[in-house]
Amino acid sequence: MTGWKLSEKVILITGGARGIGAATARELARRGARPVLADLDGAALELTAKVISPAPLTIELDVTDPAQCEAAVQRTVEAHGRLDMVWANAGIASFGPLQLTSASAWTRTVEVNLLGAYYTVRAALPAIIDQRGYVAVTCSLASFAHPPGMSAYAASKAGAEAMCNSLRAEVAHLGVEVASVHPTWIDTDMVREGDETQPAFRLLRQAMRPPFKRAYPLERAVGDIVVGFEQRRRRICTPRFVQLAHLLRPTLTSRAFERNLLAVAPEITSVFQKAVAERGVDSASASDRVAAQLGPERVR
Ligand code: NAD
């Protein structure tokens, strides 16, 4: 689309308190946009807002609550008079073989990453249509590459990508564009906490082939995402090799590609079982930050 400049654009960003959302919000503000930061973590929100100028509106919300998503859009429109772009970026990760992992962590991962993105986008859509604006949803390389131990995360991100693809066709005639954003491992707390506290996750990452095993610097992801937003791209891959993985996606589920993952899967299971025995299933399946979001087990 021509004539779209980030300058002065009002952009509601969920998961804006830390990691990819926070760092990108800072760069968007530097380029003259007006990010609005929404997140579950009120303390982190305030810290991030302090390093953004001019001071952004911050909104504490849980994206799994549709009413809170609607209220966040309303507050944004009240404060800025409009909403040009929504970026459903809030996400969590959990880990563990499907049969053994915490059911609360599995279902919460889908609730935050897929249903949360749906609630966010649905709430924002009327205001975005008014502005012939732009919708982005943070998906992942895991939307099309599905390693063992990551069934919840991969399912949530594959679903998020599918949602974007359907929505894109629905709103194109209204002048609205829709992006799915696909990072590989990026060096944020999400990945660091997994490496540090979940030995089975660490084992998976070590077993992956290059370039899939590497965690890339946050600044690189921010650069790619901001350029993608500027160009209103329909798919933003970071770094560029993820674009190639997208094009070659059928090969990612071939036996040949999966060979090293098939070989390490039994060890992942036994390391995970040991962690469950030592720490309990919720703690083995998710970081402390995510475990704090888990309610009682609803699936037995
Ligand atoms: P992060 O943990 O640093 O940041 C995620 C943010 O989302 C946090 O501020 C957290 O409080 C917020 N959040 C979590 N649950 C929420 C909820 N229910 N309601 C509102 N906010 C909530 O992680 P990140 O690496 O910056 O991840 C950002 C997005 O990028 C996520 O969707 C993640 O799945 C995706 N992603 C990350 C990587 C990676 O390697 N870091 C790779 C691919 C995709």
Side-chain angles (χ1 to χ4, degrees):
M1 182 192 181
T2 52
W4 164 267
K5 288 205 170 37
L6 285 173
S7 175
E8 301 300 324
K9 291 291 183 291
V10 178
I11 306 175
L12 174 61
I13 304 173
T14 68
R18 313 158 82 104
I20 296 170
T24 308
R26 203 171 163 177
E27 178 58 18
L28 290 168
R30 206 184 62 77
R31 292 173 183 232
R34 298 280 168 266
V36 174
L37 309 183
D39 204 285
L40 192 61
D41 187 338
L45 262 182
E46 293 320 312
L47 285 176
T48 297
K50 278 196 185 130
V51 296
I52 294 180
S53 175
L57 174 65
T58 59
I59 301 171
E60 216 173 307
L61 95 168
D62 182 338
V63 293
T64 65
D65 181 342
Q68 291 185 41
C69 293
E70 277 161 30
V73 170
Q74 205 179 331
R75 274 191 66 193
T76 302
V77 173
E78 276 165 16
H80 287 286
R82 65 181 196 283
L83 177 61
D84 299 294
M85 173 175 172
V86 65
W87 180 18
N89 167 73
I92 59 171
S94 61
F95 189 81
L98 182 148
Q99 192 184 357
L100 306 172
T101 195
S102 153
S104 298
W106 206 104
T107 52
R108 180 72 185 173
T109 302
V110 175
E111 276 170 8
V112 175
N113 296 359
L114 177 56
L115 298 183
Y118 160 66
Y119 296 140
T120 302
V121 171
R122 188 185 65 157
L125 217 40
I128 296 288
I129 290 169
D130 279 350
Q131 292 304 118
R132 300 173 74 80
Y134 187 37
V135 173
V137 177
T138 305
C139 301
S140 174
L141 171 60
S143 300
F144 34 90
H146 310 142
M150 290 185 55
S151 61
Y153 190 79
S156 70
K157 295 299 188 179
E161 183 195 16
M163 177 182 83
C164 289
N165 290 340
S166 286
L167 179 65
R168 185 177 301 118
E170 291 165 10
V171 295
H173 71 286
L174 302 172
V176 173
E177 274 148 319
V178 179
S180 56
V181 180
H182 301 271
T184 184
W185 307 117
I186 305 298
D187 184 20
T188 66
D189 290 343
M190 180 183 276
V191 174
R192 272 186 232 147
E193 287 164 357
D195 281 344
E196 284 163 16
T197 65
Q198 295 178 273
F201 174 77
R202 191 164 60 236
L203 184 60
L204 166 72
R205 295 225 316 119
Q206 284 162 353
M208 290 179 136
R209 295 194 184 101
F212 295 96
K213 72 189 299 170
R214 179 172 168 204
Y216 287 79
L218 185 53
E219 300 70 40
R220 180 134 173 213
V222 169
D224 289 341
I225 290 169
V226 169
V227 168
F229 286 174
E230 241 163 14
Q231 299 177 355
R232 284 174 66 121
R233 281 200 203 138
R234 52 174 19 224
R235 191 174 303 102
I236 301 170
C237 292
T238 178
R240 285 302 281 271
F241 87 83
V242 179
Q243 179 72 33
L244 188 64
H246 172 77
L247 290 171
L248 300 175
R249 60 197 293 168
T251 62
L252 301 179
T253 47
S254 66
R255 263 184 204 285
F257 184 84
E258 285 174 348
R259 194 169 297 133
N260 59 329
L261 301 176
L262 290 166
V264 77
E267 197 184 344
I268 287 177
T269 297
S270 65
V271 169
F272 186 79
Q273 278 169 322
K274 189 160 170 259
V276 172
E278 286 169 3
R279 295 152 44 185
V281 71
D282 283 350
S283 165
S285 304
S287 67
D288 290 349
R289 212 155 43 94
V290 172
Q293 289 195 37
L294 304 182
E297 197 106 319
R298 279 170 302 160
V299 186
R300 300 257 171 221

